[in-house]
Amino acid sequence: MARRVMPLLGRWPSRVFSVELDGAPCYFSIQEKHRGEEAPRLFAKVRERDRCFSLLVCAGDAIRRAKFYAELKETLLRDLPPGCDVSPMSSFLPNVRDSLIKGFFLKDSSDSPSKSEGLLRDLIRHDPVLVCSYLRGEDGQLWTQHLWSHADGQTMDMSKEYYVVPSEAPEYHPSTLNIINSDVFYSFEEAYEVLKKCGDIIPEATSVMELLPSRAPARRKPDFPVIVVEGLDATGKTTLTESLRDTLGAALLRSPPQCLSPLRARFDQEPPLIRRAFYALGNYITAEQVGQEASKTPVIVDRFWHSTAAYAIATAVSGPMCNLPAEGSEVYRWPSDLLQPSLVVLLTLDPEERKRRLRDRGQGKTEEEQELDHNQLFRLKVEEAYRRINGPACVTVDASPSADQVLQQVQLLIRGKCHL
């Protein structure tokens, strides 16, 4: 255990901690001396009998960390006694990329505190998790943080204690620190390395790698225009792309590509790191297909990198719209090794009309598409992420008129931009 956490402990007092309460983060930090600060909001409603703990996943390997985080959540929800509240939390160094560590905050109001503590002791003995307990001072106001260590087969509190104090919200939402090549991939090699390392634990990863090009397809300008159509489900993408195929005599491709369809359900069960790498590589398979077709005819693509990135960013960044990375952030940049389309059309639709169309279709939806249906904030974040992606940026088209009118409007865009 000590070997795994020593790199963290070296800068431990500089870290900020964030706990999700009712969909909003509550921040606190720690310091060696108390200077009269009040206890953080997180502890204001903790009763005298309640016990508080934090669990941070500290495995060095990103894939193991992602897998264990998902497993830890299941373990806590399954094995903790009734009366325990588990909230997502994280620890990070402000403005330091890749410094985010994810975990959970536990408030134990149960009648079986020994059962909870026993579970935590087992975790620290065998798993890559750093446990801290939080103790109320004698005056009932001050709180201190105590790190647990593991030595000689016994779990014990480290003698070092820190005072817990409020912390202001950081300049950047903490989840944005780890988006690059974790939630969104910006090169073939980064996504490929993730799936390559999954071969031993996910047999289907080998099947994906057999479908991949040996490297990212050469990013050269296609002979014929490549038009990508983006948008949320039920905005009319299928109707429009098929109409464009017919009117332009174009090839029609989709991302993720058809060859990955049998594997999607399997990778949708995986943690975000692995799932996002799978979909990122799907874009490179599509890019290879686009390059082949665009040497002889125009190409229409139903979704591409914009979708992969927009959904990932909106999912990774919790809370309100203002938590999204600012316009111009590097998270919105197009991958330098991915084929660049000539035009990207983003279809938008009134939310109620989109829901009506979804009901009429009655088709099964992914977890993220279900989230769009009942979470207006998530939908707005996806649409805003779409708009902020550049290189190329999306051209927004209102999809509420008739299919023929939408087709005519997009054809005008294509004539102006692509000279078709």
Side-chain angles (χ1 to χ4, degrees):
M1 179 67 186
R3 186 169 62 253
R4 291 195 293 260
V5 303
M6 282 307 294
L8 301 180
L9 299 184
R11 301 187 67 180
W12 191 251
S14 302
R15 286 189 162 270
V16 175
F17 302 83
S18 171
V19 178
E20 292 287 329
L21 292 178
D22 302 320
C26 175
Y27 297 101
F28 67 90
S29 56
I30 56 176
Q31 57 192 29
E32 296 186 5
K33 294 182 179 180
H34 194 261
R35 303 182 182 91
E37 296 93 342
E38 294 183 358
R41 177 171 60 90
L42 173 67
F43 298 97
K45 295 184 179 180
V46 176
R47 298 175 301 175
E48 191 165 339
R49 58 167 288 187
D50 296 342
R51 307 187 71 195
C52 296
F53 307 91
S54 60
L55 300 85
L56 295 169
V57 178
C58 55
D61 177 77
I63 293 169
R64 188 177 178 218
R65 193 161 58 238
K67 292 284 284 184
F68 181 74
Y69 176 81
E71 293 165 2
L72 178 59
K73 182 177 181 180
E74 292 181 6
T75 298
L76 295 175
L77 295 178
R78 182 186 67 235
D79 295 343
L80 285 170
C84 291
D85 292 329
V86 178
S87 304
M89 80 170 295
S90 61
S91 171
F92 59 96
L93 296 168
N95 303 331
V96 177
R97 182 172 153 184
D98 295 329
S99 66
L100 186 77
I101 309 166
K102 296 174 66 177
F104 301 96
F105 188 85
L106 168 61
K107 187 179 78 167
D108 183 358
S109 305
S110 72
D111 297 324
S112 309
S114 60
K115 184 175 180 181
S116 303
E117 189 165 321
L119 173 61
L120 300 185
R121 290 181 186 277
D122 286 342
L123 285 170
I124 201 172
R125 285 192 186 102
H126 306 295
D127 295 305
V129 60
L130 178 65
V131 176
C132 298
S133 54
Y134 297 83
L135 303 180
R136 191 196 306 262
E138 292 182 1
D139 64 355
Q141 299 299 317
L142 298 181
W143 284 82
T144 53
Q145 179 197 73
H146 301 255
L147 288 85
W148 290 16
S149 66
H150 174 57
D152 300 326
Q154 300 296 318
T155 304
M156 61 182 185
D157 284 348
M158 291 177 66
S159 58
K160 188 71 176 176
E161 71 174 18
Y162 295 95
Y163 290 98
V164 180
V165 296
S167 178
E168 293 184 0
E171 181 180 0
Y172 304 107
H173 190 270
S175 62
T176 64
L177 299 174
N178 283 33
I179 282 180
I180 294 177
N181 294 324
S182 180
D183 292 290
V184 184
F185 288 87
Y186 298 85
S187 75
F188 176 85
E189 290 299 330
E190 290 283 356
Y192 178 84
E193 281 301 311
V194 170
L195 248 62
K196 181 180 176 182
K197 292 175 182 176
C198 289
D200 293 341
I201 55 175
I202 306 173
E204 291 84 355
T206 304
S207 301
V208 176
M209 295 176 71
E210 290 171 352
L211 297 169
L212 294 173
S214 58
R215 60 181 62 84
R219 183 177 158 175
R220 59 179 182 79
K221 187 174 181 180
D223 296 328
F224 285 85
V226 176
I227 297 108
V228 173
V229 178
E230 293 279 7
L232 306 182
D233 266 23
T235 51
K237 292 188 306 301
T238 301
T239 301
L240 176 61
T241 54
E242 291 178 351
S243 297
L244 288 173
R245 174 196 61 194
D246 296 341
T247 56
L248 299 176
L252 173 58
L253 298 171
R254 291 182 171 85
S255 187
Q258 188 64 35
C259 63
L260 292 185
S261 294
L263 300 168
R264 288 182 67 179
R266 175 66 181 86
F267 281 92
D268 282 343
Q269 300 170 11
E270 292 299 324
L273 174 71
I274 299 170
R275 185 169 72 248
R276 303 303 184 193
F278 168 78
Y279 282 106
L281 291 171
N283 286 324
Y284 287 95
I285 296 174
T286 299
E288 184 179 46
Q289 297 171 347
V290 169
Q292 294 168 355
E293 294 294 334
S295 65
K296 51 194 176 186
T297 184
V299 178
I300 310 299
V301 188
D302 186 339
R303 286 188 166 170
F304 200 35
W305 190 81
H306 283 74
S307 285
T308 310
Y311 277 83
I313 293 167
T315 302
V317 180
S318 62
M321 289 273 287
C322 61
N323 286 347
L324 286 173
E327 287 191 60
S329 166
E330 60 181 338
V331 306
Y332 301 118
R333 63 176 169 82
W334 189 267
S336 59
D337 63 354
L338 184 63
L339 181 143
Q340 198 168 15
S342 315
L343 172 67
V344 181
V345 174
L346 174 63
L347 297 179
T348 60
L349 192 62
D350 175 78
E352 292 306 314
E353 171 62 15
R354 197 182 71 83
K355 284 184 179 180
R356 185 191 67 76
R357 292 185 185 183
L358 279 171
R359 284 195 299 269
D360 291 346
R361 281 165 46 170
Q363 295 177 346
K365 300 185 286 293
T366 66
E367 186 176 329
E368 285 176 344
E369 287 159 350
Q370 292 171 4
E371 182 75 2
L372 284 172
D373 288 353
H374 71 261
N375 188 332
Q376 180 184 15
L377 177 59
F378 180 65
R379 176 181 56 78
L380 292 172
K381 286 195 291 188
V382 171
E383 291 183 333
E384 185 58 31
Y386 266 127
R387 294 187 181 99
R388 293 184 183 184
I389 293 170
N390 53 62
C394 296
V395 179
T396 301
V397 171
D398 180 10
S400 56
S402 69
D404 285 343
Q405 289 174 297
V406 173
L407 174 62
Q408 290 173 14
Q409 187 175 351
V410 174
Q411 285 177 316
L412 286 174
L413 282 173
I414 293 172
R415 288 194 197 105
K417 179 74 174 177
C418 308
H419 311 294
L420 281 179

